[in-house]
């Protein structure tokens, strides 16, 4: 007489044949096999132990544990930027290895399970694996997006480093390229900090910049006008010849309330040491 497939005995069977299970798994995931030590070192992710844990959740249909584990894995892989191709290959290898052990377990039992029961368990395994992958990829994507946003905010904040010198004086050193996107960030950050810190003198040092497009210069002039309206005196230092030439060719003039000095040191001598 045929009997139902006992999932607990199936897990025992896998555990009793643990070495064979792991060898079979590694053979199914040839590309990941070469990366196991690297992934462990980079992300402290033990693929072999995690595979046994995932198999346990799948076979026992531990839905909550499976989803929590998928989320945990998604965050870990996103954090350490491990290629998703390895994860997909590894989980598919786990799927195929479990199928293989289902067949071997059924062959070794005295009473073979019904074909319908066997395929029902196989379907259960497939559904659980697919559910794991779905939660994993959603979590990975969401967490990766949040990391990108956080990094972008950090870069944007670092790109506008307003440095307090006295309670009423700050320096803004502009370094690198400045495009229209960055000037929009500059405008928001500068006006916000002028109001927040009650800055009376803002020294903007351009010595770290080689050139600027005319549209960028126009935008910066508007920012200077804005700080002036808020009662903040703007001091510009370090303008390079290329930038001044662009301003002259475009017929632009600095706001009459903005003061220009050759170097940052001259501005500090004038406003800090006087």
């Amino acid at each position: 007489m045929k009997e139902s497939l006992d999932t607990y005995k199936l897990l025992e069977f896998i555990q009793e044949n643990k070495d064979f299970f792991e060898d079979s798994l590694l053979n199914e995931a040839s590309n990941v096999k070469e990366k196991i030590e690297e992934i462990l070192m980079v992300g402290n992710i033990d693929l072999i132990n995690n595979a046994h844990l995932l198999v346990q959740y799948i076979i026992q249909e531990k839905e909550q544990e499976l989803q929590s584990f998928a989320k945990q894995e998604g965050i870990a892989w996103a954090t350490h930027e491990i290629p998703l191709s390895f994860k997909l290959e590894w989980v598919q290898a786990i799927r195929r290895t479990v199928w293989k052990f289902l067949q071997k377990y059924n062959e070794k039992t005295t009473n073979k399970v019904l074909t319908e029961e066997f395929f029902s368990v196989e379907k259960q395994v497939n559904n659980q694996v697919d559910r794991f992958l779905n939660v994993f990829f959603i979590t990975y994507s969401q967490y990766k997006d949040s990391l990108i946003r956080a990094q972008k905010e950090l870069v944007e904040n670092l790109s506008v480093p307003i440095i307090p010198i006295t309670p009423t004086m700050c320096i803004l050193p502009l370094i690198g390229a400045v495009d229209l996107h960055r000037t929009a960030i500059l405008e928001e950050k500068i006006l916000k900090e002028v109001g927040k810190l009650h800055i009376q003198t803002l020294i903007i040092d351009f010595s770290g910049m080689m050139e600027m497009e005319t549209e960028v210069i126009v935008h910066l002039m508007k920012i200077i006008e804005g700080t002036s309206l808020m009662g903040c005196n703007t001091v510009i230092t370090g303008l390079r010849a290329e930038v001044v030439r662009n301003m002259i060719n475009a017929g632009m003039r600095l706001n009459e309330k903005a003061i220009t000095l050759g170097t940052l040191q001259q501005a500090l001598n004038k406003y800090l040491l006087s």
Side-chain angles (χ1 to χ4, degrees):
M1 181 176 180
K2 304 220 180 244
E3 62 180 16
S4 297
L5 194 151
D6 190 326
T7 54
Y8 288 97
K9 288 185 178 179
L10 173 59
L11 280 175
E12 288 180 0
F13 175 73
I14 292 174
Q15 190 60 35
E16 289 168 0
N17 296 274
K18 182 178 178 182
D19 291 341
F20 179 67
F21 180 90
E22 292 176 4
D23 288 341
S24 177
L25 177 58
L26 292 174
N27 288 333
E28 290 285 348
S30 56
N31 292 322
V32 182
K33 181 179 179 179
E34 306 299 324
K35 296 289 184 177
I36 285 181
E37 292 299 324
E38 181 182 332
I39 291 173
L40 178 62
M41 182 177 65
V42 171
N44 194 30
I45 299 171
D46 191 327
L47 290 180
I48 298 294
N49 285 339
N50 286 357
H52 285 292
L53 190 58
L54 179 57
V55 168
Q56 177 185 329
Y57 293 153
I58 288 171
I59 293 177
Q60 294 183 336
E61 293 188 277
K62 292 186 175 181
E63 184 70 27
Q64 184 174 351
E65 290 87 346
L66 182 102
Q67 293 200 23
S68 297
F69 185 54
K71 291 178 181 178
Q72 174 187 325
E73 287 278 276
I75 292 172
W77 283 65
T79 300
H80 299 290
E81 299 184 341
I82 305 172
L84 284 175
S85 58
F86 292 143
K87 186 63 174 180
L88 183 58
E89 180 181 342
W90 186 245
V91 174
Q92 298 296 16
I94 292 172
R95 186 202 302 266
R96 292 191 295 270
T97 304
V98 171
W99 286 347
K100 185 184 297 182
F101 268 73
L102 272 170
Q103 293 172 341
K104 290 184 178 296
Y105 174 76
N106 191 42
E107 291 168 0
K108 288 181 177 294
T109 54
T110 305
N111 298 314
K112 309 301 183 185
V113 300
L114 292 168
T115 303
E116 294 82 1
E117 176 69 15
F118 182 86
F119 282 111
S120 175
V121 174
E122 192 175 42
K123 181 179 178 181
Q124 168 199 321
V125 169
N126 282 332
N127 288 340
Q128 293 291 84
V129 170
D130 290 341
R131 192 169 291 113
F132 173 85
L133 285 173
N134 185 52
V135 175
F136 170 85
F137 282 117
I138 289 174
T139 304
Y140 179 98
S141 178
Q142 291 175 341
Y143 194 74
K144 191 70 174 178
D145 288 346
S146 68
L147 287 177
I148 291 172
R149 285 195 300 271
Q151 289 169 356
K152 183 179 178 181
E153 290 175 2
L154 176 61
V155 170
E156 289 178 350
N157 285 332
L158 290 175
S159 69
V160 192
I162 296 180
I163 305 168
I165 301 299
T166 72
T168 60
M169 181 189 301
C170 292
I171 298 174
L172 171 59
L174 293 179
I175 302 172
V178 175
D179 55 16
L180 287 176
H181 173 69
R182 192 177 176 194
T183 56
I185 298 170
L186 282 168
E187 179 179 347
E188 180 180 356
K189 182 73 179 291
I190 290 173
L191 296 181
K192 180 179 178 181
E193 292 300 302
V194 167
K196 178 182 175 181
L197 301 177
H198 305 293
I199 301 172
Q200 294 179 12
T201 302
L202 177 64
I203 303 173
I204 303 179
D205 181 51
F206 287 85
S207 59
M209 299 181 58
M210 291 301 295
E211 58 182 22
M212 287 187 294
E213 296 295 330
T214 303
E215 295 84 354
V216 172
I217 299 174
V218 171
H219 201 144
L220 287 173
M221 295 306 100
K222 292 180 179 179
I223 294 174
I224 293 172
E225 289 180 9
T227 59
S228 176
L229 290 173
M230 297 178 71
C232 175
N233 297 319
T234 302
V235 181
I236 295 177
T237 65
L239 281 175
R240 293 180 177 270
E242 296 83 354
V243 176
V244 174
R245 190 177 299 113
N246 285 345
M247 294 177 66
I248 294 173
N249 292 337
M252 287 187 293
R253 296 178 58 188
L254 285 172
N255 185 290
E256 59 182 12
K257 294 185 179 180
I259 299 171
T260 58
L261 293 171
T263 66
L264 176 60
Q265 188 62 50
Q266 288 177 333
L268 291 176
N269 289 340
K270 178 178 178 65
Y271 291 95
L272 189 60
L273 301 179
S274 59

